[in-house]
Amino acid sequence: MLYAVLCYDDENEVNAWSKDLDDRVMADLGAVNQRYAEAGKLGPVARLMPTTAAVTVRKGATDDIIMDGPFAETKEQFLGFFVLDVETLEEAITFARELSAVNPANGTYEVRPLQFFNPGVPIT
Amino acid sequence: MTELAWIDLALTSARPQAMGALLRYFRNLDLAEEAFQEACLRALKTWPDKGPPRDPAAWLIFVGRNSGIDQVRKRAKHQPLPPEEVLSDLEDTESDLVDRLDGAHYRDDILRLLFVCCHPDLPATQQIALALRIVSGLSVRQIAKAFLVSEAAMEQRITRAKAKVAAAGIPFETPDAVARAERLGVVAAMIYLVFNEGYSAGMPEKADTPFCAEAIRLARLLLKLFPSEPEIMGLTALILIQHSRLDARFDKDGQIVLLEDQDRTLWDRALIDEALVLIDKAIRHRTPGAFQIQAAIAALHARAATAAETDWLQIDLLYQTLERLQPSPVVRLNRAVAVSKREGPEAALALIEPLAEKLNGYFYFHGLRGGLLKQLGRYREAHEAFDRAIALATTSAEAAHIRQHLDSLQREMASAEK
């Protein structure tokens, strides 16, 4: 079985970390990752940028609505994610709009850049 | 992380929210600060045993409000009762409090707290000092050190600023769109001042001035409150890029390393990437502003893998746009650097000579002028300009940098005479 493990925390507090502390936490997390990667069990790992870097694509009555900031409703649940390598925010938004167009549900796509990405090892 | 360090961090990150809410309750900065201090003391006593509360800000607000009310009652025994409007929202229950924290109150509370520090009656230095003391919670000693004044003088400055704010009355009405935009502009300018205060401090003092990190934290906080303001995106991007060069700006001996000589592998790519995304977001709004343009200029430097690859044409054009938007001799001075790269030192010198009167007391003017004169072989004049710059230097790193110029000037003069 493949599992996604999602990290939640108070961003205000993480933003108040000193660079030294941040580096230390990333190194400690990296050490745990390393063990699982060596066992062939760890796929991609990503840390997202602060929510202030996000935009959100939502279906509107006539056209898509693109809003600044993260997805903030609590009625919906986190269902999945995509990792995309493009040059500009515009391209990323275009991708999200294409997903939205073919998705019959009224869901929302948050576009959030990655701050850290490790492709991991091949897993099945 | 030690327990104490963890608690300290939680108190720091909860501070703007908690102080903002306590200011709303007590409508008085001193009372709000005392209440917050008291809540922090109780947190240090109880959190280690009972573990962290689920929402530290809500806990601090609840405890701070109760202790603040106690204080007001105690004083009331010795003094005539304060008018009812001194306190507000006393009927709140705890559950009500939690509801409020989830709502728009956060935003209004924090914004009010920031706006209060930027009262137009306060000079810029007092705005910075007040914001760092009240919103960020830096100690008077830390602030005094950065401003190169005694602790007592800074204490007095902050007390005076608070008195002025109190006398002017704290604005509790919700601002309309125009007033809010104006206030946002004022707060953004204050945050940039805070950043620059740290940025210009120089290497030896760097470790003790958390101003830059504090400014970034405040900018991100403001952007969270106003997620669709392109100028706040621009401000955040600008200071992120400037801060990304921290490790490259000084050499091992604490000497300034110019942008073109910096080791670009030392730049913090994570900060630059975040800034580039914010600029992309801002551009979508198609309402350019001074911070966005400055961020775009900084981004052109950040995108160049080597100094030689810098897009000076674009930078020159952006500075021209900035000059139209916000005419200032300092902007022209910066533009002159781009002009010197594109058209040579003579054209750049012609651009800045008319600024001599206005920028006579400005370190960078004489530093740049000396550099341009040196390139043109006008050594005697270059020497005079560098001497003037050294006299105006405010940090030892600045003075040392100009001295390097003078040394190389001497060498060039000597070889020219041979």
Side-chain angles (χ1 to χ4, degrees):
Chain A
M1 181 70 89
L2 294 178
Y3 287 96
V5 177
L6 312 175
C7 171
Y8 291 87
D9 208 336
D10 178 354
E11 184 175 52
N12 289 336
E13 199 169 317
V14 176
N15 281 347
W17 287 359
S18 67
K19 183 154 176 13
D20 285 347
L21 176 57
D22 199 290
D23 290 346
R24 215 155 62 226
V25 173
M26 289 304 278
D28 289 347
L29 294 172
V32 176
N33 287 349
Q34 185 64 28
R35 279 194 284 113
Y36 282 80
E38 279 165 10
K41 292 177 177 173
L42 187 73
V45 174
R47 174 174 174 184
L48 307 181
M49 278 192 197
T51 54
T52 43
V55 295
T56 303
V57 178
R58 182 177 282 177
K59 274 183 195 173
T62 52
D63 197 3
D64 296 332
I65 299 165
I66 297 159
M67 290 177 307
D68 292 301
F71 176 71
E73 305 297 327
T74 46
K75 200 163 67 67
E76 291 92 344
Q77 282 71 46
F78 183 50
L79 299 186
F81 69 97
F82 309 79
V83 176
L84 186 69
D85 183 11
V86 289
E87 279 300 305
T88 64
L89 177 67
E90 280 315 308
E91 280 181 85
I93 291 174
T94 302
F95 173 72
R97 294 182 64 169
E98 286 181 33
L99 295 174
S100 179
V102 298
N103 189 337
N106 259 328
T108 301
Y109 290 91
E110 176 182 326
V111 178
R112 179 111 67 98
L114 301 187
Q115 180 179 324
F116 168 87
F117 181 69
N118 177 355
V121 297
I123 50 175
T124 48
Chain B
M1 204 178 350
T2 67
E3 203 158 60
L4 209 65
W6 170 83
I7 292 176
D8 198 40
L9 200 60
L11 296 179
T12 302
S13 83
R15 185 179 175 106
Q17 285 164 1
M19 272 296 293
L22 291 170
L23 181 63
R24 169 161 51 85
Y25 289 131
F26 296 114
R27 308 206 163 191
N28 174 307
L29 266 180
D30 284 326
L31 211 52
E33 254 195 321
E34 280 170 34
F36 182 75
Q37 283 309 326
E38 184 58 35
C40 287
L41 287 176
R42 295 210 195 154
L44 285 168
K45 269 187 215 150
T46 53
W47 290 5
D49 292 336
K50 294 191 174 171
R54 197 184 54 83
D55 185 343
W59 191 97
L60 290 167
I61 293 165
F62 186 71
V63 172
R65 199 189 50 158
N66 286 347
S67 85
I69 291 168
D70 275 355
Q71 275 301 315
V72 171
R73 286 195 183 127
K74 264 184 215 156
R75 282 175 206 180
K77 284 180 188 163
H78 304 290
Q79 296 164 13
L81 278 169
E84 266 302 300
E85 63 267 21
V86 168
L87 300 175
S88 65
D89 300 331
L90 290 184
E91 70 284 0
D92 282 342
T93 62
E94 190 175 6
S95 63
D96 189 20
L97 181 71
V98 174
D99 287 344
R100 282 166 168 276
L101 291 179
D102 290 334
H105 274 81
Y106 260 168
R107 177 173 125 145
D108 287 342
D109 284 348
I110 297 171
L111 201 57
R112 182 181 304 114
L113 191 66
L114 284 161
F115 284 150
V116 161
C117 301
C118 304
H119 198 281
D121 290 351
L122 298 177
T125 52
Q126 287 191 18
Q127 291 186 16
I128 299 174
L130 201 57
L132 288 171
R133 182 70 207 98
I134 302 285
V135 189
S136 301
L138 296 193
S139 70
V140 173
R141 196 181 59 81
Q142 281 175 302
I143 301 169
K145 194 171 175 202
F147 278 109
L148 305 173
V149 299
S150 74
E151 212 171 319
M154 182 50 71
E155 184 83 61
Q156 201 180 30
R157 206 182 278 182
I158 291 174
T159 307
R160 237 183 284 136
K162 278 195 211 160
K164 240 180 207 173
V165 168
I170 293 169
F172 281 91
E173 77 285 5
T174 311
D176 61 21
V178 175
R180 178 169 282 159
E182 279 173 6
R183 288 174 178 192
L184 254 182
V186 171
V187 168
M190 181 271 286
I191 292 175
Y192 193 51
L193 286 175
V194 171
F195 181 83
N196 269 328
E197 207 56 55
Y199 188 80
S200 54
M203 182 63 173
E205 300 90 330
K206 190 185 76 180
D208 284 335
T209 50
F211 285 22
C212 291
E214 206 45 59
I216 289 172
R217 195 162 78 90
L218 290 177
R220 282 182 176 146
L221 185 67
L222 200 62
L223 189 52
K224 254 181 124 158
L225 298 175
F226 295 93
S228 300
E229 290 292 336
E231 271 298 86
I232 307 302
M233 297 171 197
L235 165 72
T236 312
L238 175 61
I239 63 182
L240 283 172
I241 293 178
Q242 288 179 342
H243 198 54
S244 76
R245 303 182 194 132
L246 182 68
D247 291 339
R249 286 176 58 219
F250 300 94
D251 66 16
K252 280 195 282 300
D253 306 319
Q255 309 288 339
I256 292 174
V257 182
L258 287 183
L259 188 59
E260 59 187 26
D261 301 323
Q262 287 174 11
D263 175 357
R264 297 182 177 219
T265 60
L266 295 177
W267 290 356
D268 189 331
R269 293 312 309 184
L271 295 185
I272 291 171
D273 288 346
E274 186 184 339
L276 295 180
V277 174
L278 289 176
I279 293 169
D280 277 359
K281 281 181 67 169
I283 287 171
R284 295 178 48 82
H285 289 265
R286 305 200 184 286
T287 47
F291 281 126
Q292 292 171 73
I293 293 169
Q294 291 174 82
I297 292 168
L300 284 171
H301 288 298
R303 283 196 161 111
T306 63
E309 289 167 74
T310 309
D311 188 347
W312 289 109
L313 172 62
Q314 274 301 323
I315 291 175
D316 187 4
L317 292 174
L318 283 166
Y319 270 123
Q320 288 179 39
T321 312
L322 187 59
E323 258 197 302
R324 276 197 297 278
L325 215 62
Q326 201 180 66
S328 114
V330 174
V331 173
R332 173 150 300 185
L333 189 69
N334 285 319
R335 198 189 132 204
V337 176
V339 169
S340 80
K341 301 289 180 189
R342 290 184 58 215
E343 300 172 34
E346 196 134 28
L349 201 58
L351 199 64
I352 67 164
E353 288 295 9
L355 309 175
E357 203 181 314
K358 277 180 189 152
L359 296 182
N360 194 32
Y362 193 54
F363 168 80
Y364 292 101
F365 172 75
H366 297 286
L368 176 63
R369 188 162 171 275
L372 295 171
L373 288 165
K374 183 171 145 225
Q375 283 181 54
L376 289 168
R378 290 158 66 175
Y379 297 132
R380 194 176 305 276
E381 292 164 274
H383 203 297
E384 282 169 16
F386 286 140
D387 282 345
R388 183 93 184 95
I390 282 197
L392 291 167
T394 51
T395 64
S396 50
E398 278 178 359
H401 177 70
I402 297 295
R403 247 175 248 118
Q404 283 177 354
H405 272 307
L406 278 172
D407 288 348
S408 84
L409 185 68
Q410 304 283 12
R411 284 195 300 276
E412 279 184 39
M413 283 172 84
S415 64
E417 278 165 17
K418 272 176 203 162

Short mmCIF file of all heavy atoms in Angstrom, two decimals, chain B residues 232-257:
data_model
loop_
_atom_site.label_atom_id
_atom_site.label_comp_id
_atom_site.label_asym_id
_atom_site.label_seq_id
_atom_site.Cartn_x
_atom_site.Cartn_y
_atom_site.Cartn_z
N ILE B 232 2.04 44.64 -1.15
CA ILE B 232 2.53 43.87 0.00
C ILE B 232 3.31 42.64 -0.51
O ILE B 232 4.30 42.23 0.09
CB ILE B 232 1.37 43.45 0.94
CG1 ILE B 232 0.54 44.67 1.34
CG2 ILE B 232 1.91 42.76 2.18
CD1 ILE B 232 1.32 45.77 2.04
N MET B 233 2.85 42.08 -1.64
CA MET B 233 3.63 41.01 -2.28
C MET B 233 5.00 41.56 -2.69
O MET B 233 6.03 40.91 -2.50
CB MET B 233 2.91 40.49 -3.53
CG MET B 233 1.57 39.83 -3.26
SD MET B 233 0.71 39.49 -4.81
CE MET B 233 -0.97 39.23 -4.21
N GLY B 234 4.99 42.78 -3.28
CA GLY B 234 6.23 43.41 -3.72
C GLY B 234 7.17 43.66 -2.55
O GLY B 234 8.37 43.35 -2.62
N LEU B 235 6.63 44.20 -1.47
CA LEU B 235 7.45 44.46 -0.28
C LEU B 235 8.08 43.16 0.23
O LEU B 235 9.29 43.11 0.49
CB LEU B 235 6.57 45.07 0.83
CG LEU B 235 7.18 45.05 2.24
CD1 LEU B 235 8.30 46.08 2.35
CD2 LEU B 235 6.12 45.31 3.30
N THR B 236 7.25 42.12 0.35
CA THR B 236 7.76 40.85 0.88
C THR B 236 8.84 40.29 -0.04
O THR B 236 9.90 39.85 0.42
CB THR B 236 6.60 39.85 1.05
OG1 THR B 236 5.51 40.49 1.71
CG2 THR B 236 7.04 38.64 1.86
N ALA B 237 8.58 40.33 -1.35
CA ALA B 237 9.55 39.81 -2.32
C ALA B 237 10.86 40.60 -2.23
O ALA B 237 11.95 40.02 -2.23
CB ALA B 237 8.98 39.90 -3.73
N LEU B 238 10.74 41.92 -2.14
CA LEU B 238 11.93 42.77 -2.10
C LEU B 238 12.83 42.43 -0.92
O LEU B 238 14.04 42.22 -1.07
CB LEU B 238 11.50 44.25 -2.03
CG LEU B 238 12.61 45.28 -1.87
CD1 LEU B 238 13.57 45.23 -3.05
CD2 LEU B 238 12.03 46.69 -1.72
N ILE B 239 12.24 42.33 0.26
CA ILE B 239 13.09 42.09 1.43
C ILE B 239 13.57 40.64 1.47
O ILE B 239 14.65 40.37 1.97
CB ILE B 239 12.43 42.55 2.76
CG1 ILE B 239 11.16 41.79 3.07
CG2 ILE B 239 12.16 44.04 2.74
CD1 ILE B 239 10.48 42.27 4.36
N LEU B 240 12.80 39.72 0.90
CA LEU B 240 13.27 38.33 0.83
C LEU B 240 14.53 38.25 -0.03
O LEU B 240 15.51 37.59 0.33
CB LEU B 240 12.19 37.42 0.25
CG LEU B 240 11.04 37.01 1.18
CD1 LEU B 240 9.95 36.28 0.40
CD2 LEU B 240 11.54 36.14 2.33
N ILE B 241 14.52 38.94 -1.18
CA ILE B 241 15.69 38.88 -2.07
C ILE B 241 16.89 39.57 -1.42
O ILE B 241 18.01 39.05 -1.45
CB ILE B 241 15.38 39.51 -3.44
CG1 ILE B 241 14.34 38.66 -4.19
CG2 ILE B 241 16.65 39.64 -4.28
CD1 ILE B 241 13.92 39.22 -5.53
N GLN B 242 16.64 40.72 -0.81
CA GLN B 242 17.77 41.40 -0.16
C GLN B 242 18.35 40.53 0.95
O GLN B 242 19.56 40.45 1.11
CB GLN B 242 17.32 42.77 0.37
CG GLN B 242 17.09 43.75 -0.78
CD GLN B 242 16.63 45.12 -0.33
OE1 GLN B 242 16.16 45.28 0.79
NE2 GLN B 242 16.73 46.09 -1.20
N HIS B 243 17.45 39.88 1.68
CA HIS B 243 17.91 39.05 2.80
C HIS B 243 18.62 37.78 2.29
O HIS B 243 19.47 37.23 2.99
CB HIS B 243 16.73 38.67 3.69
CG HIS B 243 17.14 38.19 5.04
ND1 HIS B 243 17.97 38.91 5.87
CD2 HIS B 243 16.87 37.04 5.72
CE1 HIS B 243 18.17 38.24 6.99
NE2 HIS B 243 17.53 37.11 6.93
N SER B 244 18.26 37.34 1.08
CA SER B 244 18.86 36.11 0.54
C SER B 244 20.37 36.26 0.35
O SER B 244 21.10 35.27 0.28
CB SER B 244 18.22 35.74 -0.81
OG SER B 244 18.70 36.59 -1.84
N ARG B 245 20.86 37.50 0.30
CA ARG B 245 22.29 37.73 0.05
C ARG B 245 23.10 37.87 1.33
O ARG B 245 24.30 38.17 1.28
CB ARG B 245 22.47 39.02 -0.78
CG ARG B 245 21.71 39.00 -2.08
CD ARG B 245 21.99 40.29 -2.86
NE ARG B 245 21.03 40.46 -3.94
CZ ARG B 245 20.37 41.59 -4.18
NH1 ARG B 245 20.57 42.65 -3.41
NH2 ARG B 245 19.52 41.67 -5.17
N LEU B 246 22.44 37.65 2.47
CA LEU B 246 23.09 37.89 3.77
C LEU B 246 24.47 37.26 3.89
O LEU B 246 25.44 37.92 4.28
CB LEU B 246 22.18 37.36 4.88
CG LEU B 246 22.68 37.57 6.31
CD1 LEU B 246 22.67 39.06 6.67
CD2 LEU B 246 21.84 36.80 7.30
N ASP B 247 24.59 35.97 3.51
CA ASP B 247 25.87 35.26 3.70
C ASP B 247 26.93 35.68 2.70
O ASP B 247 28.10 35.35 2.86
CB ASP B 247 25.65 33.74 3.60
CG ASP B 247 24.85 33.22 4.78
OD1 ASP B 247 24.84 33.92 5.82
OD2 ASP B 247 24.26 32.14 4.67
N ALA B 248 26.52 36.39 1.64
CA ALA B 248 27.46 36.76 0.59
C ALA B 248 27.90 38.23 0.70
O ALA B 248 28.83 38.65 0.03
CB ALA B 248 26.84 36.51 -0.79
N ARG B 249 27.21 39.00 1.53
CA ARG B 249 27.42 40.45 1.55
C ARG B 249 28.68 40.88 2.28
O ARG B 249 29.12 42.02 2.14
CB ARG B 249 26.21 41.15 2.19
CG ARG B 249 24.99 41.19 1.30
CD ARG B 249 23.83 41.82 2.04
NE ARG B 249 24.16 43.15 2.48
CZ ARG B 249 23.79 43.67 3.66
NH1 ARG B 249 23.10 42.93 4.50
NH2 ARG B 249 24.12 44.88 3.97
N PHE B 250 29.22 39.99 3.12
CA PHE B 250 30.42 40.33 3.88
C PHE B 250 31.43 39.20 3.75
O PHE B 250 31.04 38.03 3.69
CB PHE B 250 30.08 40.55 5.35
CG PHE B 250 29.08 41.66 5.58
CD1 PHE B 250 27.74 41.38 5.68
CD2 PHE B 250 29.51 42.97 5.68
CE1 PHE B 250 26.82 42.40 5.87
CE2 PHE B 250 28.60 44.00 5.88
CZ PHE B 250 27.25 43.71 5.98
N ASP B 251 32.72 39.54 3.72
CA ASP B 251 33.72 38.47 3.69
C ASP B 251 34.07 38.05 5.12
O ASP B 251 33.47 38.53 6.08
CB ASP B 251 34.96 38.91 2.89
CG ASP B 251 35.72 40.05 3.56
OD1 ASP B 251 35.50 40.30 4.75
OD2 ASP B 251 36.53 40.69 2.87
N LYS B 252 35.05 37.16 5.23
CA LYS B 252 35.38 36.59 6.55
C LYS B 252 35.78 37.66 7.56
O LYS B 252 35.58 37.51 8.76
CB LYS B 252 36.51 35.56 6.40
CG LYS B 252 36.03 34.21 5.91
CD LYS B 252 37.06 33.13 6.11
CE LYS B 252 38.16 33.15 5.07
NZ LYS B 252 37.79 32.97 3.66
N ASP B 253 36.38 38.75 7.04
CA ASP B 253 36.86 39.80 7.94
C ASP B 253 35.79 40.86 8.21
O ASP B 253 36.07 41.90 8.81
CB ASP B 253 38.10 40.48 7.35
CG ASP B 253 39.17 39.46 7.01
OD1 ASP B 253 39.36 38.55 7.83
OD2 ASP B 253 39.79 39.57 5.93
N GLY B 254 34.56 40.61 7.71
CA GLY B 254 33.50 41.57 7.95
C GLY B 254 33.48 42.72 6.95
O GLY B 254 32.79 43.71 7.15
N GLN B 255 34.30 42.59 5.88
CA GLN B 255 34.32 43.65 4.86
C GLN B 255 33.15 43.47 3.89
O GLN B 255 32.77 42.35 3.57
CB GLN B 255 35.63 43.60 4.06
CG GLN B 255 36.89 43.56 4.90
CD GLN B 255 37.17 44.91 5.57
OE1 GLN B 255 36.68 45.93 5.12
NE2 GLN B 255 37.93 44.88 6.64
N ILE B 256 32.61 44.62 3.43
CA ILE B 256 31.49 44.58 2.48
C ILE B 256 31.95 43.96 1.16
O ILE B 256 33.01 44.31 0.64
CB ILE B 256 30.97 46.00 2.21
CG1 ILE B 256 30.31 46.57 3.47
CG2 ILE B 256 29.98 46.01 1.05
CD1 ILE B 256 29.89 48.01 3.33
N VAL B 257 31.16 43.05 0.61
CA VAL B 257 31.40 42.53 -0.74
C VAL B 257 30.28 43.07 -1.62
O VAL B 257 29.11 42.86 -1.35
CB VAL B 257 31.39 40.99 -0.76
CG1 VAL B 257 31.69 40.48 -2.17
CG2 VAL B 257 32.38 40.42 0.24
#
